[in-house]
Amino acid sequence: GCSIPTHAMLEFQLAHAQARDAVYQALDVDALTSNLAENGLYSIHVQSLATDKEIYLKRPDLGRLLDDESKQKIANDQYTRNENFDVCIVIGDGLSSFAIEENAVTFINAFKEQIVEEKWTLAPIVIATGSRVALGDQVAELLNAKMLVMLIGERPGLSSPDSMGIYYTWDAKTGYLD
Protein backbone atom coordinates (compact mmCIF):
# COMPACT_ATOMS: atom_id res chain seq x y z
CA GLY A 1 0.00 0.00 0.00
CA CYS A 2 0.90 3.64 0.26
CA SER A 3 1.31 3.83 4.03
CA ILE A 4 4.53 4.77 5.79
CA PRO A 5 6.58 1.78 6.99
CA THR A 6 6.25 1.21 10.74
CA HIS A 7 9.97 1.77 11.40
CA ALA A 8 9.93 5.17 9.63
CA MET A 9 6.78 6.19 11.46
CA LEU A 10 8.28 5.26 14.84
CA GLU A 11 11.48 7.19 14.03
CA PHE A 12 9.41 10.26 13.13
CA GLN A 13 7.35 10.02 16.32
CA LEU A 14 10.51 9.70 18.44
CA ALA A 15 12.18 12.70 16.76
CA HIS A 16 9.00 14.76 17.16
CA ALA A 17 8.75 13.86 20.86
CA GLN A 18 12.42 14.77 21.40
CA ALA A 19 11.89 18.15 19.74
CA ARG A 20 8.82 18.89 21.89
CA ASP A 21 10.66 17.79 25.04
CA ALA A 22 13.57 20.09 24.15
CA VAL A 23 11.21 23.07 23.94
CA TYR A 24 9.34 22.37 27.17
CA GLN A 25 12.20 21.05 29.32
CA ALA A 26 13.12 23.58 32.01
CA LEU A 27 16.77 24.55 32.27
CA ASP A 28 18.44 23.00 35.31
CA VAL A 29 19.95 26.27 36.55
CA ASP A 30 21.35 24.72 39.74
CA ALA A 31 23.25 22.02 37.85
CA LEU A 32 24.53 24.55 35.30
CA THR A 33 25.64 26.93 38.06
CA SER A 34 27.44 24.08 39.85
CA ASN A 35 29.10 22.92 36.64
CA LEU A 36 30.35 26.45 35.91
CA ALA A 37 31.61 26.82 39.51
CA GLU A 38 33.49 23.51 39.23
CA ASN A 39 35.26 25.06 36.23
CA GLY A 40 36.16 28.21 38.18
CA LEU A 41 33.43 30.39 36.69
CA TYR A 42 31.12 32.64 38.71
CA SER A 43 27.57 33.01 37.39
CA ILE A 44 24.43 35.04 37.95
CA HIS A 45 20.93 33.74 37.19
CA VAL A 46 18.49 36.21 35.67
CA GLN A 47 14.94 35.99 34.29
CA SER A 48 13.27 37.66 31.33
CA LEU A 49 9.78 39.11 31.47
CA ALA A 50 8.56 35.81 29.97
CA THR A 51 7.93 34.03 33.26
CA ASP A 52 6.94 30.65 31.82
CA LYS A 53 7.23 28.70 28.56
CA GLU A 54 3.68 29.48 27.40
CA ILE A 55 4.28 33.23 27.71
CA TYR A 56 7.71 32.81 26.14
CA LEU A 57 6.20 31.11 23.07
CA LYS A 58 3.28 33.53 22.71
CA ARG A 59 5.10 36.79 23.54
CA PRO A 60 8.60 36.84 22.03
CA ASP A 61 8.96 40.51 22.98
CA LEU A 62 8.93 39.62 26.69
CA GLY A 63 11.83 37.21 26.25
CA ARG A 64 14.00 40.09 25.02
CA LEU A 65 13.89 42.07 28.28
CA LEU A 66 15.06 41.40 31.82
CA ASP A 67 12.63 41.66 34.68
CA ASP A 68 13.30 44.41 37.24
CA GLU A 69 14.65 42.01 39.87
CA SER A 70 17.26 40.71 37.42
CA LYS A 71 18.40 44.22 36.49
CA GLN A 72 18.90 44.93 40.19
CA LYS A 73 20.71 41.63 40.69
CA ILE A 74 23.26 42.54 38.02
CA ALA A 75 23.63 46.11 39.29
CA ASN A 76 24.15 45.00 42.90
CA ASP A 77 26.40 41.99 42.28
CA GLN A 78 29.75 42.33 44.02
CA TYR A 79 31.66 41.22 40.90
CA THR A 80 29.94 43.55 38.44
CA ARG A 81 29.73 46.90 40.19
CA ASN A 82 31.74 49.67 38.56
CA GLU A 83 33.53 47.26 36.25
CA ASN A 84 34.10 47.28 32.52
CA PHE A 85 34.57 43.92 30.83
CA ASP A 86 35.98 42.85 27.50
CA VAL A 87 33.68 39.82 27.18
CA CYS A 88 30.25 38.96 28.55
CA ILE A 89 28.86 35.45 28.05
CA VAL A 90 25.11 35.02 28.38
CA ILE A 91 23.62 31.52 28.42
CA GLY A 92 19.98 31.63 27.34
CA ASP A 93 17.67 28.63 27.52
CA GLY A 94 15.85 29.70 24.36
CA LEU A 95 13.92 26.95 22.63
CA SER A 96 16.13 24.10 23.82
CA SER A 97 17.36 23.90 27.39
CA PHE A 98 18.66 20.46 26.48
CA ALA A 99 21.04 22.06 23.96
CA ILE A 100 22.41 24.38 26.64
CA GLU A 101 22.85 21.58 29.17
CA GLU A 102 24.69 19.48 26.57
CA ASN A 103 26.94 22.13 25.04
CA ALA A 104 27.33 25.43 26.94
CA VAL A 105 29.96 24.52 29.54
CA THR A 106 32.10 22.66 26.99
CA PHE A 107 32.06 25.69 24.69
CA ILE A 108 32.78 28.14 27.51
CA ASN A 109 35.77 26.10 28.72
CA ALA A 110 37.26 26.11 25.21
CA PHE A 111 36.51 29.82 24.74
CA LYS A 112 37.95 30.64 28.17
CA GLU A 113 41.37 29.49 26.93
CA GLN A 114 41.22 32.12 24.17
CA ILE A 115 40.05 34.78 26.64
CA VAL A 116 43.03 34.07 28.90
CA GLU A 117 45.46 34.02 25.97
CA GLU A 118 44.18 37.41 24.75
CA LYS A 119 44.22 38.80 28.33
CA TRP A 120 40.59 39.85 28.07
CA THR A 121 38.49 40.46 31.18
CA LEU A 122 35.50 38.17 31.51
CA ALA A 123 32.28 39.27 33.20
CA PRO A 124 30.43 36.82 35.40
CA ILE A 125 28.58 34.29 33.26
CA VAL A 126 24.90 35.20 33.06
CA ILE A 127 22.36 32.37 32.93
CA ALA A 128 19.10 33.75 31.52
CA THR A 129 15.82 31.85 31.64
CA GLY A 130 12.93 32.75 29.36
CA SER A 131 15.56 34.24 27.08
CA ARG A 132 15.54 35.35 23.47
CA VAL A 133 18.75 36.35 21.68
CA ALA A 134 18.17 40.10 22.11
CA LEU A 135 18.15 39.77 25.91
CA GLY A 136 21.93 39.44 25.73
CA ASP A 137 22.20 43.02 24.45
CA GLN A 138 20.58 44.35 27.60
CA VAL A 139 22.84 42.22 29.82
CA ALA A 140 26.01 43.33 27.99
CA GLU A 141 24.93 46.95 28.30
CA LEU A 142 24.34 46.58 32.05
CA LEU A 143 27.75 44.90 32.46
CA ASN A 144 29.61 47.49 30.36
CA ALA A 145 30.99 44.72 28.16
CA LYS A 146 32.69 45.38 24.83
CA MET A 147 31.72 42.02 23.34
CA LEU A 148 28.66 39.88 23.94
CA VAL A 149 28.74 36.15 23.33
CA MET A 150 25.18 34.84 23.49
CA LEU A 151 24.73 31.07 23.74
CA ILE A 152 21.15 29.97 23.22
CA GLY A 153 19.20 26.79 22.68
CA GLU A 154 17.97 26.89 19.09
CA ARG A 155 14.66 25.74 17.66
CA PRO A 156 14.89 21.96 17.70
CA GLY A 157 14.40 20.12 14.45
CA LEU A 158 13.45 16.52 13.95
CA SER A 159 17.10 15.49 13.86
CA SER A 160 18.67 17.99 16.28
CA PRO A 161 17.03 18.64 19.66
CA ASP A 162 20.40 19.78 21.04
CA SER A 163 21.39 22.61 18.69
CA MET A 164 23.03 25.59 20.42
CA GLY A 165 23.43 28.90 18.63
CA ILE A 166 26.29 31.32 19.28
CA TYR A 167 25.78 35.02 18.56
CA TYR A 168 28.58 37.58 18.85
CA THR A 169 27.83 41.28 19.14
CA TRP A 170 30.35 44.09 19.48
CA ASP A 171 29.30 47.03 21.68
CA ALA A 172 25.86 45.50 22.29
CA LYS A 173 23.06 47.81 23.39
CA THR A 174 19.35 47.30 23.96
CA GLY A 175 17.52 47.58 20.67
CA TYR A 176 20.45 46.73 18.39
CA LEU A 177 19.37 45.04 15.18
CA ASP A 178 22.84 43.78 14.13
Side-chain angles (χ1 to χ4, degrees):
C2 60
S3 64
I4 298 172
T6 301
H7 182 71
M9 182 60 155
L10 291 174
E11 284 180 341
F12 170 79
Q13 288 176 334
L14 174 62
H16 186 261
Q18 288 172 327
R20 282 187 56 88
D21 288 349
V23 170
Y24 285 99
Q25 174 182 321
L27 181 64
D28 188 344
V29 175
D30 292 336
L32 185 55
T33 300
S34 294
N35 201 340
L36 290 167
E38 288 170 11
N39 287 279
L41 296 164
Y42 174 72
S43 62
I44 303 169
H45 175 227
V46 298
Q47 172 65 49
S48 77
L49 291 172
T51 55
D52 64 46
K53 198 55 88 167
E54 290 301 317
I55 293 171
Y56 174 85
L57 293 171
K58 292 177 183 174
R59 295 282 311 271
D61 57 314
L62 296 179
R64 296 181 185 117
L65 299 170
L66 291 170
D67 66 14
D68 290 336
E69 182 180 332
S70 295
K71 289 185 233 175
Q72 283 301 313
K73 187 184 286 188
I74 291 172
N76 295 332
D77 188 84
Q78 64 180 341
Y79 296 107
T80 64
R81 283 184 293 204
N82 302 318
E83 289 288 333
N84 292 314
F85 298 99
D86 294 315
V87 180
C88 164
I89 299 174
V90 178
I91 303 171
D93 54 357
L95 286 168
S96 178
S97 297
F98 180 66
I100 293 302
E101 291 171 0
E102 290 292 307
N103 301 301
V105 175
T106 302
F107 171 81
I108 291 170
N109 282 330
F111 186 50
K112 185 172 75 169
E113 293 175 18
Q114 182 70 34
I115 291 170
V116 169
E117 186 176 309
E118 297 292 334
K119 298 183 175 111
W120 293 334
T121 55
L122 177 63
I125 308 298
V126 175
I127 302 168
T129 47
S131 175
R132 299 280 178 172
V133 173
L135 183 113
D137 296 340
Q138 186 178 26
V139 171
E141 186 175 16
L142 290 169
L143 290 172
N144 297 314
K146 293 177 188 171
M147 179 172 60
L148 164 66
V149 178
M150 180 72 182
L151 310 178
I152 195 159
E154 293 289 1
R155 179 182 308 112
L158 292 180
S159 63
S160 61
D162 61 346
S163 179
M164 181 181 78
I166 304 170
Y167 296 83
Y168 293 89
T169 307
W170 181 258
D171 193 31
K173 302 277 186 275
T174 303
Y176 261 24
L177 299 177
D178 289 341

